[in-house]
Amino acid sequence: MQHCTWLCAGAEDVLNYFQSVDVKLILLTNEPAQRQVQKICRLALDHGVDAYYMSQEKQVAKPESAAFLNICQDFVIHPQECLMVGNDLDIDILPAAVLGFKTCWVGKQNIRQRAGIKKHRLIELIFYLTQLNGTFNPSET
């Protein structure tokens, strides 16, 4: 992934960590399917994603509850067992939180704090997950 210098700092470590602890990574996006697939290939992220939910194909978009709940239904999991990592507070984070998802907001939006939700750096996600799954050392991945 070194050729993708604009990939968010820490993203490769997070993906490697997900794979090492068998965390399912599901991409839920409102972007047009063709553009999203091109982006995934360009970033070489296809190896780290277990499933893709594209609103254009599923005919339901975030922030609609069904967009999130379709994933829960298909994977037979409860919202409380899910962590939504998103960059848009209104479309990704708040709707997921209302449904009971844990959330990690990594957006670029210039909002210090809103609705009691703290903005995180992506690498902080690893530290959150290590509290659930044990230790993490980026050099081991």
Side-chain angles (χ1 to χ4, degrees):
M1 281 197 201
Q2 293 176 346
H3 65 282
C4 300
T5 56
W6 54 276
L7 190 63
C8 182
E12 188 168 6
D13 287 337
V14 170
L15 290 174
N16 289 335
Y17 179 72
F18 283 159
Q19 290 177 330
S20 74
V21 295
D22 198 30
V23 170
K24 299 294 181 214
L25 180 62
I26 301 161
L27 179 69
L28 173 61
T29 180
N30 287 348
E31 284 196 40
Q34 184 177 11
R35 186 177 342 157
Q36 191 65 36
V37 168
Q38 289 171 347
K39 186 189 305 182
I40 290 164
C41 291
R42 187 173 60 249
L43 293 172
L45 294 176
D46 51 331
H47 73 282
V49 178
D50 295 291
Y52 302 94
Y53 282 71
M54 299 184 191
S55 59
Q56 185 178 24
E57 294 174 357
K58 298 291 182 178
Q59 299 180 347
V60 61
K62 299 177 294 180
E64 293 180 48
S65 297
F68 301 92
L69 295 176
N70 284 342
I71 293 170
C72 294
Q73 181 179 7
D74 291 350
F75 281 83
V76 192
I77 51 177
H78 299 284
Q80 297 77 11
E81 299 172 277
C82 300
L83 173 66
M84 174 63 182
V85 179
N87 65 339
D88 189 296
L89 188 65
D90 295 314
I91 293 175
D92 299 326
I93 302 304
L94 294 177
V98 166
L99 295 171
F101 284 64
K102 294 172 186 70
T103 60
C104 181
W105 177 35
V106 295
K108 294 180 181 178
Q109 297 165 338
N110 191 17
I111 301 171
R112 293 197 184 269
Q113 194 165 4
R114 185 169 151 198
I117 297 174
K118 180 184 176 219
K119 185 173 159 183
H120 298 279
R121 292 179 306 135
L122 188 58
I123 198 70
E124 290 178 285
L125 181 56
I126 292 174
F127 299 111
Y128 170 78
L129 290 173
T130 58
Q131 293 174 354
L132 301 175
N133 295 308
T135 61
F136 171 76
N137 183 343
S139 63
E140 294 176 354
T141 59

